[in-house]
């Protein structure tokens, strides 16, 4: 595989083309002038490896070889698993390859590997690539600042029954935005589970709860409970294409940026 200089748009390597998000990203590419599919890399035993990527006329074959795919592309898009994301980031360092990373449930070690890549290449990392959710993050921060810690804040997220990590990365980002708005350290006030005799709710606590079922793409509600009133900020995703379109926009944006770690607020110019 070699890069095709002069072809329009940035050339993209999609990791996990057989996955729900990989599929949505590939399906969102036709008709776009800013991105084009250059490579697709999956687990060696994933369906479709060795065959042309379904649903495109690009002639790109799905393979399991990361390094030639990095060489063939300007940027890779990664919505896979924490282990695969860490491995890809480690290999991408030598290629100084730009990246768009949407995998959630990342550990500190995984984030360190991404941080090492961000030393040599531009990397967008976001727990949620939708415009609406990024707006919600800003609104939750603003609401927390305006209402103060006397209003009890709780975040509830609902996802499909295949989702592995809990709470969702987006719920954690919303909860952190609330802590930010209050000027407190999230790790000191968070509450992710309640079970048994947990006692009265401590003032200032920020709760996060997870619901799993069916085919729900993703729902998040931040509720601020006052005395005699409450405020709810909610986002409901009904199609994965919102994340795919955001990831492609991030891929077109990130190529050519200075090395560093960015998020969707940078991509959308909302910072
Ligand atoms: P999925 O299980 O449908 O797909 C995962 C894909 O990764 C599969 O194609 C699998 O074969 C592939 N994969 C696994 N190991 C690999 C490896 N070593 N090399 C290459 N590919 C490998 O999962 P999904 O629903 O598409 O979600 C993937 C991730 O994206 C999850 O962490 C999910 O939470 C996250 N997600 C993020 C956003 C966002 O906006 N940031 C939105 C939706 C999902």
């Amino acid at each position: 595989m070699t890069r095709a200089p002069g072809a329009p748009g940035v050339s993209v390597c999609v990791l996990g083309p057989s996955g729900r998000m990989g599929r949505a990203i590939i399906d969102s590419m036709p008709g776009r002038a800013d991105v084009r599919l250059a490579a697709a890399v999956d687990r060696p035993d994933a369906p479709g490896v060795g065959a042309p990527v379904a649903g495109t006329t690009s002639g790109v074959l799905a393979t399991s070889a990361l390094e030639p795919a990095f060489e063939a592309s300007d940027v890779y898009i990664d919505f896979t698993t924490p282990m695969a994301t860490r491995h890809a980031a480690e290999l991408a360092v030598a290629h100084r390859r730009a990246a768009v990373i949407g995998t959630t449930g990342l550990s500190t070690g995984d984030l360190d590997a991404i941080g090492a890549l961000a030393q040599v290449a531009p990397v967008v990392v976001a727990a949620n690539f939708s415009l609406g959710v990024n707006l919600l993050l800003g609104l939750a921060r603003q609401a927390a600042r305006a209402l103060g810690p006397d209003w009890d804040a709780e975040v509830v997220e609902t996802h499909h029954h295949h989702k592995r990590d809990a709470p969702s990365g987006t719920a954690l980002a919303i909860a952190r935005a609330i802590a930010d708005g209050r000027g407190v350290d999230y790790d000191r006030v968070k509450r992710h589970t309640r079970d048994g005799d947990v006692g009265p709710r401590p003032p200032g606590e920020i709760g996060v709860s997870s619901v799993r079922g069916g085919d729900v793409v993703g729902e998040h509600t931040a509720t601020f409970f006052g005395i005699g009133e409450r405020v709810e900020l909610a986002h409901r995703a009904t199609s994965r294409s919102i994340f795919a379109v955001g990831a492609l926009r991030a891929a077109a944006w990130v190529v050519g940026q200075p090395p560093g770690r960015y998020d969707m607020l940078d991509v959308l110019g909302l910072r």
Side-chain angles (χ1 to χ4, degrees), residues 107-172:
S107 67
T108 311
D110 303 330
L111 290 168
D112 287 346
I114 293 170
L117 177 59
Q119 298 282 319
V120 299
V123 181
V124 177
V125 186
N128 195 305
F129 279 85
S130 98
L131 175 58
V133 158
N134 283 284
L135 178 67
L136 178 60
L137 291 177
L139 294 174
R141 184 177 295 116
Q142 210 182 335
R145 188 176 300 134
L147 299 171
D150 291 345
W151 287 58
D152 297 331
E154 294 280 321
V155 180
V156 178
E157 55 101 346
T158 307
H159 281 85
H160 55 88
H161 56 210
H162 296 293
K163 187 164 177 64
R164 303 179 67 102
D165 54 314
S168 71
T170 303
L172 294 175

Side-chain angles (χ1 to χ4, degrees), residues 16 18-21 41-43 46 79-81 84 102-104 126-129 163 165 243:
S18 68
R20 280 174 287 263
M21 276 307 301
V41 180
D42 220 319
R43 284 180 293 115
F79 287 71
T80 57
T81 65
T103 308
T104 60
N128 195 305
F129 279 85
K163 187 164 177 64
D165 54 314
F243 310 125

Side-chain angles (χ1 to χ4, degrees), residues 7-269:
V10 301
S11 53
V12 176
C13 167
V14 174
L15 305 191
S18 68
R20 280 174 287 263
M21 276 307 301
R23 188 70 261 155
I25 289 163
I26 289 165
D27 288 346
S28 299
M29 292 180 98
R32 293 186 70 115
D34 55 347
V35 289
R36 77 197 133 80
L37 186 66
V41 180
D42 220 319
R43 284 180 293 115
D45 57 339
V49 169
V53 177
T56 78
T57 51
S58 61
V60 169
L61 296 183
T63 73
S64 59
L66 269 174
E67 302 213 49
F70 285 156
E71 276 311 298
S73 46
D74 297 314
V75 54
Y76 74 94
I77 301 181
D78 181 349
F79 287 71
T80 57
T81 65
M83 196 191 287
T85 294
R86 183 174 185 158
H87 178 63
E90 286 166 355
L91 282 186
V93 168
H95 301 268
R96 296 175 180 266
R97 192 54 63 237
V100 171
I101 298 174
T103 308
T104 60
L106 299 169
S107 67
T108 311
D110 303 330
L111 290 168
D112 287 346
I114 293 170
L117 177 59
Q119 298 282 319
V120 299
V123 181
V124 177
V125 186
N128 195 305
F129 279 85
S130 98
L131 175 58
V133 158
N134 283 284
L135 178 67
L136 178 60
L137 291 177
L139 294 174
R141 184 177 295 116
Q142 210 182 335
R145 188 176 300 134
L147 299 171
D150 291 345
W151 287 58
D152 297 331
E154 294 280 321
V155 180
V156 178
E157 55 101 346
T158 307
H159 281 85
H160 55 88
H161 56 210
H162 296 293
K163 187 164 177 64
R164 303 179 67 102
D165 54 314
S168 71
T170 303
L172 294 175
I174 295 168
R176 285 187 185 280
I178 293 170
D180 236 40
R182 288 183 180 170
V184 298
D185 176 0
Y186 177 63
D187 292 315
R188 298 178 75 101
V189 296
K190 70 181 178 188
R191 168 74 76 137
H192 289 182
T193 51
R194 293 189 181 94
D195 187 18
D197 183 6
V198 296
R201 189 183 197 285
E205 187 170 84
I206 299 175
V208 182
S209 319
S210 302
V211 179
R212 293 288 174 267
D215 61 352
V216 179
V217 173
E219 299 187 356
H220 294 88
T221 305
T223 306
F224 297 87
F225 298 84
I227 303 300
E229 59 180 333
R230 72 182 188 227
V231 175
E232 292 179 358
L233 301 172
H235 178 269
R236 294 185 179 84
T238 52
S239 164
R240 270 181 193 88
S241 67
I242 58 169
F243 310 125
V245 167
L248 290 171
R249 186 161 165 179
W253 178 88
V254 77
V255 174
Q257 299 291 335
R261 183 176 157 168
Y262 302 93
D263 63 22
M264 275 310 272
L265 298 184
D266 299 304
V267 175
L268 298 169

